[in-house]
DNA sequence: CCAAAAGTGTTGAATTTACACCCATGA
DNA sequence: TCATGGGTGTAAATTCAACACTTTTGG
């Protein structure tokens, strides 16, 4: 992946699959390669690993550098190391996946060499990146069913309808609003505020916020106690 | 981890957490380090990555080299890359976890520099290997609840009591035999043979074998179509 | 016959699912 | 007042959990 020096036998890199929710469902940003191999083709944002930088920080950094965004959720996906995944050299890529909020994604830098694609309709990507995205999509959809990562797509407060729409968009199936409400309320991790949204031609929905004392997902002993910053309650 | 050349900025290695079931529950083999750092302390089997060797093959190879065993299940656990996890140099380790059968584990080479330990009572290990084992244990126990990896601890045929005892040993809690039976029978992936075990002072139990057309666990698009070899039905 | 584990049946609780229906708002 | 989603109620279906009971063997 065009990294570091050529003196090492194996090259190590970090790449990141970034998800945001757009009009047509899940969207991910890709960068156009400006050198061989795969020059001109689209690829996942990525780069070399710096000697003194943690892997997760590297993922966050190249996320920031290519899109200008900070993610609300970042997790290691897998380490890809097939011998022939890059022509000529042996590249091992530690891949992370990230979720960003749509309002931030709006501001995202989009230029000649960075473009957002609909996740289910990608062109042929460089390297094995199509397979990587497929796996990231599978993980996201699987995890959506048993964790509360959906909240990472939303701002500090949200209505239950918004949260449900996130689930529906990611899982691509309708969800019963009544059952969804009870399910979420029973699962904890969410706190009702006294605020409501007015202006709609219907009963004003209550706003919720997430309970920052409860982790979005249970990663067992790996949980990096990196809980999101406590939210200011308005 | 004392690998390859020092010309590269970051050293890449593979380690493996190997699980077998022994009398006192889960057991794992460790190797004694014969050089600095952590000389004399116990550590996970591991080694450098060869230029032309797939990561999974490297894990299988150092499993074979240190214990003489081949595993019935091998999966990537996580890639550990904290900056200070090895004194002096930057080492990124791709860690795999493996399951082996007790009958094979019996034959395992155990010498001055290789010893089997009870997984829940490990001494202080080299590097961050205690944390790695904790995470592997969590993954094994979590996965035991929703997949059929328990079968990887058993031979080609087994009774439902044996299968249940694997669950009980790993999860460390008793399981109702009646409910366990129905649960397993409903979940498919297991086939009843016409054979029974005689000789016990009780009704002879039926032998089962696993359905090799059903994967032990659903890893989504990552499944390496590396299904176990079809079993000969006796 | 007795002990022990294999295997089947049954019942109540908990959870899931579908859908009816009332509530509060803006137009 | 009507349309629209917010929010509550409820009952059937399914799954889960506990445990009684019957079966088949060896001693």
């Amino acid at each position: 992946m065009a990294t570091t020096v050529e003196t090492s036998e194996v090259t190590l890199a970090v790449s990141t699959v970034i998800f945001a929710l757009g009009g047509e469902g899940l969207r991910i940003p890709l960068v156009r390669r400006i050198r061989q191999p795969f020059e001109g083709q689209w690829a996942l944002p990525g780069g070399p690993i710096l000697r003194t930088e943690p892997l997760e920080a590297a993922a966050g950094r190249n996320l920031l550098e290519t899109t200008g965004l900070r993610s609300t959720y970042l997790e290691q996906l897998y380490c890809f190391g097939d011998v022939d995944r890059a022509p000529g050299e042996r590249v091992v890529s530690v891949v992370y996946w990230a979720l960003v909020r749509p309002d931030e994604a709006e501001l995202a830098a989009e230029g000649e060499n960075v473009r957002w694609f609909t996740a289910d309709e990608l062109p042929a990507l460089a390297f094995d990146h199509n397979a990587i995205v497929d796996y990231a999509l599978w993980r996201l959809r699987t995890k959506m069913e048993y964790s509360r990562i959906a909240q990472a797509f939303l701002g500090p407060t949200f209505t239950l309808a918004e949260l449900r729409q996130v689930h529906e968009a990611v899982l691509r199936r309708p969800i019963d609003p009544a059952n969804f409400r009870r399910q979420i309320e029973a699962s904890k991790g969410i706190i009702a505020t006294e605020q409501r949204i007015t202006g709609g031609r219907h009963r004003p929905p209550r706003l919720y916020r997430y309970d920052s004392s409860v982790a979005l997902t249970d990663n067992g002993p790996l949980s990096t106690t990196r809980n999101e910053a406590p939210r200011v309650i308005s």
Side-chain angles (χ1 to χ4, degrees), chain A residues 211-225:
Chain A
D211 182 349
S212 54
S213 72
V214 180
L216 288 190
T217 159
D218 179 12
N219 285 322
L222 214 61
S223 26
T224 33
T225 49

Side-chain angles (χ1 to χ4, degrees), chain A residues 118-179:
Chain A
T118 298
D120 292 304
E121 301 166 7
L122 297 183
L125 306 184
F127 307 105
D128 52 359
H129 288 189
N130 285 99
I132 293 177
V133 171
D134 284 346
Y135 183 50
L137 270 170
W138 179 83
R139 271 275 273 280
L140 167 60
R141 287 180 170 135
T142 302
K143 205 146 192 170
M144 185 74 69
E145 311 239 38
Y146 67 89
S147 78
R148 299 184 300 101
I149 44 170
Q151 296 171 16
F153 279 117
L154 298 170
T157 60
F158 46 87
T159 67
L160 288 186
E162 287 167 345
L163 186 60
R164 175 171 49 85
Q165 283 154 15
V166 170
H167 278 85
E168 291 178 331
V170 171
L171 300 177
R172 293 175 299 183
R173 61 178 162 81
I175 296 171
D176 182 304
N179 295 335

Side-chain angles (χ1 to χ4, degrees), chain A residues 18-29 110 115-119:
Chain A
I18 301 157
F19 291 110
L21 274 180
E24 315 94 55
L26 284 167
R27 296 178 68 77
I28 70 176
E110 177 150 5
R115 191 180 299 170
W116 288 76
F117 292 81
T118 298

Side-chain angles (χ1 to χ4, degrees), chain A residues 48-99:
Chain A
I49 286 176
L50 304 181
R51 171 70 179 74
T52 59
E53 187 182 44
L55 296 178
E56 187 169 311
R61 180 174 53 78
N62 69 50
L63 164 61
L64 185 64
E65 285 173 356
T66 55
T67 67
L69 300 176
R70 292 178 194 283
S71 89
T72 48
Y73 184 77
L74 185 60
E75 181 189 320
Q76 193 183 109
L77 176 67
Y78 197 75
C79 180
F80 294 86
D82 278 3
V83 172
D84 58 354
R85 55 188 295 274
E89 62 176 341
R90 177 75 187 276
V91 180
V92 172
S93 289
V94 185
V95 178
Y96 282 76
W97 60 294
L99 305 183

